[in-house]
Amino acid sequence: MNIGQAADASGVTAKMIRYYESIGLVAAARRTEAGYRIYSQADVQILRFIKRSRDLGFSLERIRTLLGLWKDTDRKSSDVKKLASQYITELDQDILKLQSIRDQLEQLAICCQGDNRPNCPILEELAS
Protein backbone atom coordinates (compact mmCIF):
# COMPACT_ATOMS: atom_id res chain seq x y z
CA MET A 1 0.00 0.00 0.00
CA ASN A 2 1.12 3.58 -0.56
CA ILE A 3 1.69 6.16 2.17
CA GLY A 4 -1.86 7.53 1.96
CA GLN A 5 -3.34 4.08 2.36
CA ALA A 6 -0.96 3.32 5.24
CA ALA A 7 -1.96 6.60 6.86
CA ASP A 8 -5.66 5.77 6.54
CA ALA A 9 -5.16 2.23 7.84
CA SER A 10 -3.04 3.28 10.82
CA GLY A 11 -4.57 6.62 11.78
CA VAL A 12 -1.16 8.27 11.50
CA THR A 13 -0.86 11.12 9.01
CA ALA A 14 1.45 10.76 6.04
CA LYS A 15 3.45 13.71 7.36
CA MET A 16 3.99 11.94 10.69
CA ILE A 17 4.91 8.70 8.96
CA ARG A 18 7.63 10.55 7.05
CA TYR A 19 8.75 12.20 10.30
CA TYR A 20 8.93 8.88 12.15
CA GLU A 21 11.04 7.53 9.31
CA SER A 22 13.32 10.58 9.38
CA ILE A 23 14.07 10.12 13.10
CA GLY A 24 14.48 6.37 12.79
CA LEU A 25 11.46 5.46 14.90
CA VAL A 26 10.29 3.27 12.02
CA ALA A 27 12.42 1.76 9.32
CA ALA A 28 12.51 3.56 6.02
CA ALA A 29 9.79 2.26 3.75
CA ARG A 30 10.59 0.14 0.78
CA ARG A 31 10.30 2.01 -2.50
CA THR A 32 8.85 1.25 -5.88
CA GLU A 33 11.00 1.68 -8.98
CA ALA A 34 9.40 5.10 -9.34
CA GLY A 35 10.49 6.00 -5.80
CA TYR A 36 7.11 5.82 -4.07
CA ARG A 37 6.99 4.45 -0.55
CA ILE A 38 5.23 1.12 -0.09
CA TYR A 39 4.02 -0.32 3.20
CA SER A 40 3.05 -3.78 4.38
CA GLN A 41 0.46 -4.81 6.96
CA ALA A 42 3.35 -5.24 9.43
CA ASP A 43 4.36 -1.61 8.83
CA VAL A 44 0.79 -0.50 9.47
CA GLN A 45 0.71 -2.52 12.69
CA ILE A 46 3.85 -0.72 13.90
CA LEU A 47 2.29 2.63 13.01
CA ARG A 48 -0.85 1.69 14.96
CA PHE A 49 1.33 0.74 17.92
CA ILE A 50 3.00 4.15 17.74
CA LYS A 51 -0.33 5.96 17.42
CA ARG A 52 -1.81 4.20 20.42
CA SER A 53 1.35 4.91 22.42
CA ARG A 54 1.18 8.59 21.45
CA ASP A 55 -2.52 8.68 22.37
CA LEU A 56 -1.48 7.52 25.85
CA GLY A 57 1.06 10.33 25.99
CA PHE A 58 4.26 8.32 25.75
CA SER A 59 7.27 10.33 24.55
CA LEU A 60 8.99 9.34 21.33
CA GLU A 61 11.95 7.99 23.30
CA ARG A 62 9.69 5.83 25.43
CA ILE A 63 7.90 4.64 22.30
CA ARG A 64 11.27 3.71 20.83
CA THR A 65 11.92 1.64 23.98
CA LEU A 66 8.44 0.10 23.89
CA LEU A 67 8.88 -0.84 20.24
CA GLY A 68 12.16 -2.51 21.10
CA LEU A 69 10.49 -4.44 23.90
CA TRP A 70 7.56 -5.37 21.66
CA LYS A 71 9.88 -6.75 18.99
CA ASP A 72 12.03 -8.60 21.56
CA THR A 73 10.36 -11.97 22.07
CA ASP A 74 12.81 -12.75 24.92
CA ARG A 75 11.77 -9.67 26.90
CA LYS A 76 10.44 -9.84 30.42
CA SER A 77 7.01 -8.36 30.98
CA SER A 78 8.46 -6.83 34.14
CA ASP A 79 10.55 -4.53 31.92
CA VAL A 80 7.42 -3.25 30.22
CA LYS A 81 5.58 -2.89 33.52
CA LYS A 82 8.52 -0.97 35.01
CA LEU A 83 8.45 1.50 32.12
CA ALA A 84 4.67 1.95 32.44
CA SER A 85 4.95 2.37 36.23
CA GLN A 86 7.60 5.08 35.84
CA TYR A 87 5.32 6.92 33.44
CA ILE A 88 2.35 6.56 35.81
CA THR A 89 4.43 8.13 38.59
CA GLU A 90 5.31 11.06 36.32
CA LEU A 91 1.66 11.47 35.32
CA ASP A 92 0.62 11.51 38.98
CA GLN A 93 3.16 14.27 39.64
CA ASP A 94 1.91 16.24 36.64
CA ILE A 95 -1.68 15.85 37.82
CA LEU A 96 -0.79 17.18 41.27
CA LYS A 97 1.04 20.14 39.74
CA LEU A 98 -1.85 20.95 37.39
CA GLN A 99 -4.37 20.67 40.23
CA SER A 100 -2.29 23.09 42.30
CA ILE A 101 -2.14 25.56 39.40
CA ARG A 102 -5.88 25.22 38.86
CA ASP A 103 -6.59 25.81 42.55
CA GLN A 104 -4.41 28.93 42.61
CA LEU A 105 -6.05 30.32 39.50
CA GLU A 106 -9.52 29.53 40.81
CA GLN A 107 -8.75 31.43 44.04
CA LEU A 108 -7.57 34.42 42.03
CA ALA A 109 -10.71 34.32 39.90
CA ILE A 110 -12.88 34.23 43.04
CA CYS A 111 -11.08 37.34 44.34
CA CYS A 112 -11.68 39.25 41.10
CA GLN A 113 -14.90 41.25 41.05
CA GLY A 114 -15.16 41.00 37.28
CA ASP A 115 -16.75 44.41 37.03
CA ASN A 116 -16.01 47.63 35.13
CA ARG A 117 -13.29 48.81 37.51
CA PRO A 118 -9.67 48.57 36.35
CA ASN A 119 -8.22 46.94 39.46
CA CYS A 120 -7.91 43.19 39.15
CA PRO A 121 -6.40 40.85 41.76
CA ILE A 122 -5.46 38.36 39.05
CA LEU A 123 -3.23 40.87 37.29
CA GLU A 124 -1.92 42.20 40.60
CA GLU A 125 -0.88 38.70 41.67
CA LEU A 126 0.79 38.01 38.34
CA ALA A 127 2.71 41.29 38.60
CA SER A 128 3.88 40.66 42.17
Side-chain angles (χ1 to χ4, degrees):
M1 65 185 80
N2 65 32
I3 195 166
Q5 293 165 325
D8 289 342
S10 67
V12 177
T13 66
K15 181 178 180 179
M16 289 307 295
I17 294 171
R18 287 189 289 274
Y19 174 69
Y20 294 153
E21 287 179 11
S22 75
I23 64 170
L25 189 61
V26 296
R30 294 181 319 267
R31 302 273 182 154
T32 65
E33 287 183 25
Y36 293 106
R37 289 174 169 89
I38 53 173
Y39 297 89
S40 67
Q41 277 303 120
D43 295 326
V44 169
Q45 187 175 10
I46 290 168
L47 291 169
R48 286 183 183 143
F49 182 99
I50 293 169
K51 177 164 183 3
R52 181 69 178 130
S53 298
R54 291 295 287 167
D55 289 346
L56 289 173
F58 282 101
S59 68
L60 291 176
E61 274 313 303
R62 279 203 171 118
I63 293 171
R64 189 180 306 277
T65 302
L66 286 168
L67 278 169
L69 289 167
W70 183 44
K71 292 175 183 178
D72 179 4
T73 56
D74 293 328
R75 72 179 173 279
K76 296 182 236 166
S77 64
S78 62
D79 293 338
V80 181
K81 184 173 183 170
K82 180 180 176 184
L83 186 69
S85 295
Q86 288 171 343
Y87 184 44
I88 290 167
T89 299
E90 290 173 20
L91 286 172
D92 287 341
Q93 292 168 352
D94 289 346
I95 289 167
L96 288 173
K97 181 179 176 184
L98 287 170
Q99 186 64 49
S100 174
I101 292 168
R102 186 205 174 281
D103 292 347
Q104 291 174 46
L105 187 55
E106 182 178 45
Q107 189 57 44
L108 289 171
I110 289 169
C111 293
C112 181
Q113 296 298 315
D115 55 20
N116 293 329
R117 295 180 301 162
N119 55 329
C120 176
I122 298 170
L123 295 176
E124 291 169 11
E125 177 65 26
L126 293 174
S128 67

PDB file of all heavy atoms in Angstrom, residues 83-106:
ATOM      1  N   LEU A  83       8.528   0.287  32.944  1.00  0.00           N
ATOM      2  CA  LEU A  83       8.448   1.498  32.119  1.00  0.00           C
ATOM      3  C   LEU A  83       7.088   2.177  32.294  1.00  0.00           C
ATOM      4  O   LEU A  83       7.010   3.399  32.477  1.00  0.00           O
ATOM      5  CB  LEU A  83       8.690   1.147  30.652  1.00  0.00           C
ATOM      6  CG  LEU A  83       8.782   2.300  29.676  1.00  0.00           C
ATOM      7  CD1 LEU A  83      10.049   3.105  29.922  1.00  0.00           C
ATOM      8  CD2 LEU A  83       8.763   1.795  28.252  1.00  0.00           C
ATOM      9  N   ALA A  84       6.020   1.388  32.262  1.00  0.00           N
ATOM     10  CA  ALA A  84       4.674   1.946  32.443  1.00  0.00           C
ATOM     11  C   ALA A  84       4.519   2.535  33.841  1.00  0.00           C
ATOM     12  O   ALA A  84       3.941   3.622  34.003  1.00  0.00           O
ATOM     13  CB  ALA A  84       3.622   0.869  32.198  1.00  0.00           C
ATOM     14  N   SER A  85       5.050   1.876  34.848  1.00  0.00           N
ATOM     15  CA  SER A  85       4.946   2.374  36.225  1.00  0.00           C
ATOM     16  C   SER A  85       5.690   3.691  36.405  1.00  0.00           C
ATOM     17  O   SER A  85       5.209   4.590  37.104  1.00  0.00           O
ATOM     18  CB  SER A  85       5.484   1.333  37.205  1.00  0.00           C
ATOM     19  OG  SER A  85       4.687   0.179  37.184  1.00  0.00           O
ATOM     20  N   GLN A  86       6.849   3.816  35.780  1.00  0.00           N
ATOM     21  CA  GLN A  86       7.599   5.078  35.839  1.00  0.00           C
ATOM     22  C   GLN A  86       6.767   6.199  35.226  1.00  0.00           C
ATOM     23  O   GLN A  86       6.705   7.312  35.762  1.00  0.00           O
ATOM     24  CB  GLN A  86       8.929   4.952  35.090  1.00  0.00           C
ATOM     25  CG  GLN A  86       9.949   4.101  35.783  1.00  0.00           C
ATOM     26  CD  GLN A  86      11.162   3.823  34.901  1.00  0.00           C
ATOM     27  OE1 GLN A  86      11.143   3.999  33.678  1.00  0.00           O
ATOM     28  NE2 GLN A  86      12.241   3.374  35.522  1.00  0.00           N
ATOM     29  N   TYR A  87       6.136   5.907  34.120  1.00  0.00           N
ATOM     30  CA  TYR A  87       5.317   6.917  33.436  1.00  0.00           C
ATOM     31  C   TYR A  87       4.101   7.276  34.286  1.00  0.00           C
ATOM     32  O   TYR A  87       3.725   8.447  34.387  1.00  0.00           O
ATOM     33  CB  TYR A  87       4.910   6.402  32.055  1.00  0.00           C
ATOM     34  CG  TYR A  87       4.148   7.399  31.235  1.00  0.00           C
ATOM     35  CD1 TYR A  87       4.541   8.735  31.150  1.00  0.00           C
ATOM     36  CD2 TYR A  87       3.027   7.017  30.514  1.00  0.00           C
ATOM     37  CE1 TYR A  87       3.834   9.642  30.401  1.00  0.00           C
ATOM     38  CE2 TYR A  87       2.318   7.918  29.752  1.00  0.00           C
ATOM     39  CZ  TYR A  87       2.725   9.231  29.700  1.00  0.00           C
ATOM     40  OH  TYR A  87       2.006  10.132  28.957  1.00  0.00           O
ATOM     41  N   ILE A  88       3.494   6.296  34.931  1.00  0.00           N
ATOM     42  CA  ILE A  88       2.346   6.558  35.806  1.00  0.00           C
ATOM     43  C   ILE A  88       2.762   7.489  36.939  1.00  0.00           C
ATOM     44  O   ILE A  88       2.037   8.443  37.270  1.00  0.00           O
ATOM     45  CB  ILE A  88       1.760   5.238  36.353  1.00  0.00           C
ATOM     46  CG1 ILE A  88       1.071   4.468  35.226  1.00  0.00           C
ATOM     47  CG2 ILE A  88       0.793   5.499  37.506  1.00  0.00           C
ATOM     48  CD1 ILE A  88       0.729   3.031  35.586  1.00  0.00           C
ATOM     49  N   THR A  89       3.928   7.261  37.521  1.00  0.00           N
ATOM     50  CA  THR A  89       4.430   8.128  38.589  1.00  0.00           C
ATOM     51  C   THR A  89       4.595   9.560  38.088  1.00  0.00           C
ATOM     52  O   THR A  89       4.198  10.522  38.764  1.00  0.00           O
ATOM     53  CB  THR A  89       5.768   7.587  39.136  1.00  0.00           C
ATOM     54  OG1 THR A  89       5.551   6.282  39.666  1.00  0.00           O
ATOM     55  CG2 THR A  89       6.343   8.500  40.205  1.00  0.00           C
ATOM     56  N   GLU A  90       5.148   9.717  36.904  1.00  0.00           N
ATOM     57  CA  GLU A  90       5.313  11.056  36.316  1.00  0.00           C
ATOM     58  C   GLU A  90       3.954  11.707  36.061  1.00  0.00           C
ATOM     59  O   GLU A  90       3.781  12.904  36.307  1.00  0.00           O
ATOM     60  CB  GLU A  90       6.114  10.975  35.028  1.00  0.00           C
ATOM     61  CG  GLU A  90       7.573  10.644  35.241  1.00  0.00           C
ATOM     62  CD  GLU A  90       8.309  10.413  33.940  1.00  0.00           C
ATOM     63  OE1 GLU A  90       7.831  10.860  32.867  1.00  0.00           O
ATOM     64  OE2 GLU A  90       9.378   9.768  33.991  1.00  0.00           O
ATOM     65  N   LEU A  91       3.002  10.929  35.560  1.00  0.00           N
ATOM     66  CA  LEU A  91       1.657  11.467  35.320  1.00  0.00           C
ATOM     67  C   LEU A  91       1.007  11.917  36.624  1.00  0.00           C
ATOM     68  O   LEU A  91       0.377  12.982  36.676  1.00  0.00           O
ATOM     69  CB  LEU A  91       0.772  10.425  34.627  1.00  0.00           C
ATOM     70  CG  LEU A  91       1.064  10.161  33.157  1.00  0.00           C
ATOM     71  CD1 LEU A  91       0.252   8.970  32.674  1.00  0.00           C
ATOM     72  CD2 LEU A  91       0.790  11.384  32.313  1.00  0.00           C
ATOM     73  N   ASP A  92       1.169  11.121  37.677  1.00  0.00           N
ATOM     74  CA  ASP A  92       0.616  11.507  38.978  1.00  0.00           C
ATOM     75  C   ASP A  92       1.213  12.832  39.457  1.00  0.00           C
ATOM     76  O   ASP A  92       0.491  13.691  39.969  1.00  0.00           O
ATOM     77  CB  ASP A  92       0.870  10.416  40.023  1.00  0.00           C
ATOM     78  CG  ASP A  92       0.003   9.183  39.826  1.00  0.00           C
ATOM     79  OD1 ASP A  92      -1.041   9.283  39.132  1.00  0.00           O
ATOM     80  OD2 ASP A  92       0.369   8.124  40.363  1.00  0.00           O
ATOM     81  N   GLN A  93       2.506  13.009  39.263  1.00  0.00           N
ATOM     82  CA  GLN A  93       3.160  14.268  39.642  1.00  0.00           C
ATOM     83  C   GLN A  93       2.628  15.428  38.807  1.00  0.00           C
ATOM     84  O   GLN A  93       2.369  16.513  39.334  1.00  0.00           O
ATOM     85  CB  GLN A  93       4.674  14.149  39.493  1.00  0.00           C
ATOM     86  CG  GLN A  93       5.304  13.197  40.482  1.00  0.00           C
ATOM     87  CD  GLN A  93       6.752  12.865  40.163  1.00  0.00           C
ATOM     88  OE1 GLN A  93       7.284  13.230  39.105  1.00  0.00           O
ATOM     89  NE2 GLN A  93       7.397  12.140  41.063  1.00  0.00           N
ATOM     90  N   ASP A  94       2.454  15.203  37.523  1.00  0.00           N
ATOM     91  CA  ASP A  94       1.912  16.242  36.641  1.00  0.00           C
ATOM     92  C   ASP A  94       0.487  16.603  37.042  1.00  0.00           C
ATOM     93  O   ASP A  94       0.115  17.784  37.041  1.00  0.00           O
ATOM     94  CB  ASP A  94       1.935  15.785  35.182  1.00  0.00           C
ATOM     95  CG  ASP A  94       3.337  15.711  34.597  1.00  0.00           C
ATOM     96  OD1 ASP A  94       4.279  16.250  35.208  1.00  0.00           O
ATOM     97  OD2 ASP A  94       3.482  15.098  33.512  1.00  0.00           O
ATOM     98  N   ILE A  95      -0.300  15.606  37.400  1.00  0.00           N
ATOM     99  CA  ILE A  95      -1.684  15.854  37.819  1.00  0.00           C
ATOM    100  C   ILE A  95      -1.709  16.716  39.080  1.00  0.00           C
ATOM    101  O   ILE A  95      -2.491  17.672  39.172  1.00  0.00           O
ATOM    102  CB  ILE A  95      -2.442  14.523  38.023  1.00  0.00           C
ATOM    103  CG1 ILE A  95      -2.694  13.864  36.667  1.00  0.00           C
ATOM    104  CG2 ILE A  95      -3.750  14.737  38.785  1.00  0.00           C
ATOM    105  CD1 ILE A  95      -3.141  12.407  36.747  1.00  0.00           C
ATOM    106  N   LEU A  96      -0.856  16.391  40.041  1.00  0.00           N
ATOM    107  CA  LEU A  96      -0.794  17.185  41.271  1.00  0.00           C
ATOM    108  C   LEU A  96      -0.391  18.630  40.977  1.00  0.00           C
ATOM    109  O   LEU A  96      -0.969  19.571  41.527  1.00  0.00           O
ATOM    110  CB  LEU A  96       0.184  16.555  42.265  1.00  0.00           C
ATOM    111  CG  LEU A  96      -0.267  15.260  42.927  1.00  0.00           C
ATOM    112  CD1 LEU A  96       0.862  14.662  43.756  1.00  0.00           C
ATOM    113  CD2 LEU A  96      -1.501  15.501  43.797  1.00  0.00           C
ATOM    114  N   LYS A  97       0.579  18.788  40.099  1.00  0.00           N
ATOM    115  CA  LYS A  97       1.039  20.139  39.735  1.00  0.00           C
ATOM    116  C   LYS A  97      -0.085  20.907  39.043  1.00  0.00           C
ATOM    117  O   LYS A  97      -0.343  22.075  39.373  1.00  0.00           O
ATOM    118  CB  LYS A  97       2.265  20.045  38.828  1.00  0.00           C
ATOM    119  CG  LYS A  97       2.811  21.393  38.419  1.00  0.00           C
ATOM    120  CD  LYS A  97       4.036  21.241  37.530  1.00  0.00           C
ATOM    121  CE  LYS A  97       4.516  22.589  37.062  1.00  0.00           C
ATOM    122  NZ  LYS A  97       5.638  22.473  36.127  1.00  0.00           N
ATOM    123  N   LEU A  98      -0.765  20.283  38.098  1.00  0.00           N
ATOM    124  CA  LEU A  98      -1.854  20.950  37.390  1.00  0.00           C
ATOM    125  C   LEU A  98      -3.010  21.284  38.328  1.00  0.00           C
ATOM    126  O   LEU A  98      -3.624  22.353  38.224  1.00  0.00           O
ATOM    127  CB  LEU A  98      -2.352  20.085  36.223  1.00  0.00           C
ATOM    128  CG  LEU A  98      -1.423  20.017  35.016  1.00  0.00           C
ATOM    129  CD1 LEU A  98      -1.903  18.948  34.039  1.00  0.00           C
ATOM    130  CD2 LEU A  98      -1.321  21.368  34.339  1.00  0.00           C
ATOM    131  N   GLN A  99      -3.300  20.397  39.262  1.00  0.00           N
ATOM    132  CA  GLN A  99      -4.370  20.669  40.233  1.00  0.00           C
ATOM    133  C   GLN A  99      -4.007  21.863  41.108  1.00  0.00           C
ATOM    134  O   GLN A  99      -4.859  22.709  41.391  1.00  0.00           O
ATOM    135  CB  GLN A  99      -4.642  19.438  41.102  1.00  0.00           C
ATOM    136  CG  GLN A  99      -5.828  19.605  42.020  1.00  0.00           C
ATOM    137  CD  GLN A  99      -7.137  19.786  41.271  1.00  0.00           C
ATOM    138  OE1 GLN A  99      -7.448  19.025  40.366  1.00  0.00           O
ATOM    139  NE2 GLN A  99      -7.913  20.785  41.642  1.00  0.00           N
ATOM    140  N   SER A 100      -2.749  21.957  41.498  1.00  0.00           N
ATOM    141  CA  SER A 100      -2.293  23.090  42.299  1.00  0.00           C
ATOM    142  C   SER A 100      -2.417  24.398  41.512  1.00  0.00           C
ATOM    143  O   SER A 100      -2.891  25.418  42.041  1.00  0.00           O
ATOM    144  CB  SER A 100      -0.844  22.873  42.732  1.00  0.00           C
ATOM    145  OG  SER A 100      -0.344  24.013  43.384  1.00  0.00           O
ATOM    146  N   ILE A 101      -2.018  24.366  40.260  1.00  0.00           N
ATOM    147  CA  ILE A 101      -2.141  25.557  39.402  1.00  0.00           C
ATOM    148  C   ILE A 101      -3.603  25.940  39.253  1.00  0.00           C
ATOM    149  O   ILE A 101      -3.962  27.115  39.364  1.00  0.00           O
ATOM    150  CB  ILE A 101      -1.487  25.292  38.028  1.00  0.00           C
ATOM    151  CG1 ILE A 101       0.023  25.161  38.174  1.00  0.00           C
ATOM    152  CG2 ILE A 101      -1.852  26.395  37.036  1.00  0.00           C
ATOM    153  CD1 ILE A 101       0.717  24.617  36.941  1.00  0.00           C
ATOM    154  N   ARG A 102      -4.445  24.960  39.013  1.00  0.00           N
ATOM    155  CA  ARG A 102      -5.878  25.222  38.862  1.00  0.00           C
ATOM    156  C   ARG A 102      -6.452  25.839  40.129  1.00  0.00           C
ATOM    157  O   ARG A 102      -7.205  26.803  40.073  1.00  0.00           O
ATOM    158  CB  ARG A 102      -6.603  23.912  38.545  1.00  0.00           C
ATOM    159  CG  ARG A 102      -8.074  24.120  38.241  1.00  0.00           C
ATOM    160  CD  ARG A 102      -8.883  22.853  38.521  1.00  0.00           C
ATOM    161  NE  ARG A 102     -10.282  23.097  38.374  1.00  0.00           N
ATOM    162  CZ  ARG A 102     -11.048  23.689  39.289  1.00  0.00           C
ATOM    163  NH1 ARG A 102     -10.527  24.119  40.413  1.00  0.00           N
ATOM    164  NH2 ARG A 102     -12.331  23.883  39.086  1.00  0.00           N
ATOM    165  N   ASP A 103      -6.091  25.295  41.279  1.00  0.00           N
ATOM    166  CA  ASP A 103      -6.593  25.812  42.550  1.00  0.00           C
ATOM    167  C   ASP A 103      -6.162  27.258  42.778  1.00  0.00           C
ATOM    168  O   ASP A 103      -6.954  28.091  43.230  1.00  0.00           O
ATOM    169  CB  ASP A 103      -6.133  24.933  43.716  1.00  0.00           C
ATOM    170  CG  ASP A 103      -6.759  23.547  43.702  1.00  0.00           C
ATOM    171  OD1 ASP A 103      -7.739  23.324  42.941  1.00  0.00           O
ATOM    172  OD2 ASP A 103      -6.264  22.670  44.451  1.00  0.00           O
ATOM    173  N   GLN A 104      -4.906  27.556  42.458  1.00  0.00           N
ATOM    174  CA  GLN A 104      -4.414  28.926  42.606  1.00  0.00           C
ATOM    175  C   GLN A 104      -5.167  29.881  41.695  1.00  0.00           C
ATOM    176  O   GLN A 104      -5.576  30.969  42.108  1.00  0.00           O
ATOM    177  CB  GLN A 104      -2.916  28.997  42.294  1.00  0.00           C
ATOM    178  CG  GLN A 104      -2.031  28.321  43.312  1.00  0.00           C
ATOM    179  CD  GLN A 104      -0.584  28.306  42.865  1.00  0.00           C
ATOM    180  OE1 GLN A 104      -0.065  29.314  42.401  1.00  0.00           O
ATOM    181  NE2 GLN A 104       0.065  27.159  42.992  1.00  0.00           N
ATOM    182  N   LEU A 105      -5.351  29.476  40.459  1.00  0.00           N
ATOM    183  CA  LEU A 105      -6.054  30.324  39.502  1.00  0.00           C
ATOM    184  C   LEU A 105      -7.516  30.492  39.886  1.00  0.00           C
ATOM    185  O   LEU A 105      -8.090  31.584  39.780  1.00  0.00           O
ATOM    186  CB  LEU A 105      -5.929  29.750  38.087  1.00  0.00           C
ATOM    187  CG  LEU A 105      -6.474  30.614  36.961  1.00  0.00           C
ATOM    188  CD1 LEU A 105      -5.867  32.009  36.967  1.00  0.00           C
ATOM    189  CD2 LEU A 105      -6.232  29.937  35.618  1.00  0.00           C
ATOM    190  N   GLU A 106      -8.132  29.433  40.379  1.00  0.00           N
ATOM    191  CA  GLU A 106      -9.520  29.525  40.814  1.00  0.00           C
ATOM    192  C   GLU A 106      -9.659  30.515  41.969  1.00  0.00           C
ATOM    193  O   GLU A 106     -10.589  31.336  41.991  1.00  0.00           O
ATOM    194  CB  GLU A 106     -10.033  28.159  41.243  1.00  0.00           C
ATOM    195  CG  GLU A 106     -11.498  28.171  41.679  1.00  0.00           C
ATOM    196  CD  GLU A 106     -11.995  26.794  42.049  1.00  0.00           C
ATOM    197  OE1 GLU A 106     -11.281  26.058  42.762  1.00  0.00           O
ATOM    198  OE2 GLU A 106     -13.108  26.451  41.596  1.00  0.00           O
TER     199      GLU A 106
END
